[in-house]
Amino acid sequence: MASKYNFPVGFHFKVEFSGIETTKNDHQFQSVSGLSIDLETEEIAEGGENRFKHKIPVRTKFPNLVLKRGLLMDSGVIDWCLDALENFIFNPIDITVSLLQKDSEGSSESDSIPLQSWNIVHAYPVKWNVSDFNAEDNKYVIETLEISYNYFTTF
């Protein structure tokens, strides 16, 4: 009898930064978006063929990676971002996003195993944003990092 497949949950993940000094909470984010690939095509009209144009693949392109989390007062990641955005000192790094699953025997985060990981290559910050302050709302302050990168690989 075939075993039942459990689809992975999208709320159990971590983000790791290689090449910069990070703090204890720097790998925890509320959301990650931008893990997608688009294939650009070029249309070529063939002489004498009026029914369609040929679409030829040209290159892939990757949107910016967007990371969101509660505002941290002490963060190596934010130091890295502000160094680029305020001082124009860029230090491209690799980032690993891992979708996690609890080990069947474990119960803590350290017992989680990666189901799939994405290695984001040559990443650098292009935008840092802090959510609005509003005395009428009862919300956490969220910081958003937008990161440009060359490409990613999965493993």
Side-chain angles (χ1 to χ4, degrees), residues 97-152:
V97 177
S98 298
L99 183 62
L100 303 174
Q101 177 180 346
K102 293 277 188 199
D103 189 357
S104 60
E105 318 231 334
S107 60
S108 69
E109 184 176 318
S110 62
D111 295 325
S112 297
I113 55 174
L115 284 174
Q116 184 161 353
S117 296
W118 292 260
N119 183 43
I120 288 90
V121 178
H122 199 82
Y124 59 91
V126 294
K127 185 177 181 179
W128 178 64
N129 181 38
V130 176
S131 63
D132 296 339
F133 305 139
N134 186 341
E136 295 178 354
D137 287 338
N138 186 14
K139 297 180 182 177
Y140 291 111
V141 176
I142 302 297
E143 65 184 349
T144 303
L145 313 173
E146 194 167 325
I147 298 171
S148 179
Y149 60 98
N150 289 353
Y151 63 94
F152 66 78

Side-chain angles (χ1 to χ4, degrees), residues 36-75:
S36 67
I37 304 172
D38 295 330
L39 181 63
E40 291 181 2
T41 59
E42 182 177 309
E43 288 188 352
I44 297 177
E46 180 182 353
E49 177 59 72
N50 294 326
R51 293 177 297 165
F52 63 91
K53 293 181 181 180
H54 297 280
K55 288 189 177 184
I56 308 298
V58 179
R59 73 185 60 81
T60 55
K61 67 179 184 177
F62 299 83
N64 288 344
L65 186 69
V66 179
L67 307 172
K68 293 183 180 186
R69 68 177 177 191
L71 181 66
L72 289 179
M73 295 296 116
D74 180 31
S75 168

